[in-house]
Amino acid sequence: MYTGRTEKPCCLCGRPETAHRIDIPPRAVQLLKHSGPIAWQDIEGEVSLHFCADDWHTVRDLVLETGMSPLSRCNAARASFVLREDFEALLNATREEPDQRPLEAEMLDDARETLERFEAGDELVETRDIVEARIVSWALEDLGSPKRPVS
């Protein structure tokens, strides 16, 4: 059975054909609609959100013109991510919560660099990158600094 990433439908409308994708840190899953049952601490790597062409225009305008994040409107069930294997149930042992701070720091650094390049007039920065950078920055700002994993 394959448990890796698969292409997902648009996280806003559910259309199977998607045109754009952005990646967010695992902790940002908490900001998505219907995210309650997801143990974001068990997500390995980034979370990918896919958008159809029509909804991408809405997301782009919402982020670039209105200054609002679309995450609360995105359905967590349509996000693409990898969950770590559940050895706790199999072995009746508890594993430590993974430390996702390095991934968050890397994503935030990339977002800041993209925004700095854009503000400096770099014409090679794509709109998709600006949208992703702002969403990642806003999400991590809203969530505050991460807590250390429980030992």
Side-chain angles (χ1 to χ4, degrees):
M1 179 171 106
Y2 179 74
T3 59
R5 288 180 188 254
T6 58
E7 288 299 313
K8 291 286 189 169
C10 177
C11 68
L12 291 173
C13 70
R15 284 189 197 143
E17 307 84 26
T18 58
H20 296 276
R21 183 193 96 213
I22 63 167
D23 295 326
I24 60 173
R27 220 164 32 110
V29 165
Q30 300 170 89
L31 302 174
L32 303 178
K33 183 169 55 172
H34 308 301
S35 64
I38 298 174
W40 64 266
Q41 298 89 337
D42 289 334
I43 295 174
E44 294 181 346
E46 318 67 30
V47 175
S48 296
L49 302 176
H50 301 267
F51 300 96
C52 67
D54 291 338
D55 285 341
W56 177 251
H57 294 296
T58 303
V59 167
R60 186 189 64 213
D61 292 346
L62 189 66
V63 171
L64 299 179
E65 295 178 15
T66 311
M68 295 177 60
S69 173
L71 294 184
S72 64
R73 294 165 182 84
C74 295
N75 189 337
R78 295 183 185 137
S80 178
F81 52 85
V82 176
L83 289 173
R84 70 182 177 154
E85 295 180 20
D86 190 5
F87 288 107
E88 293 175 7
L90 181 64
L91 302 175
N92 198 22
T94 303
R95 292 186 346 188
E96 288 185 26
E97 183 178 306
D99 186 2
Q100 297 177 347
R101 290 176 298 160
L103 175 63
E104 287 185 10
E106 179 183 339
M107 292 183 82
L108 188 57
D109 288 344
D110 289 346
R112 288 178 178 156
E113 179 186 339
T114 298
L115 294 174
E116 286 173 5
R117 286 179 39 217
F118 171 69
E119 290 169 6
D122 186 344
E123 295 178 11
L124 298 177
V125 178
E126 295 184 23
T127 302
R128 190 211 70 83
D129 296 333
I130 299 165
V131 170
E132 180 180 84
R134 288 189 178 168
I135 290 172
V136 167
S137 299
W138 293 336
L140 292 175
E141 183 180 303
D142 288 348
L143 293 168
S145 63
K147 297 177 183 170
R148 286 202 55 69
V150 179
S151 300

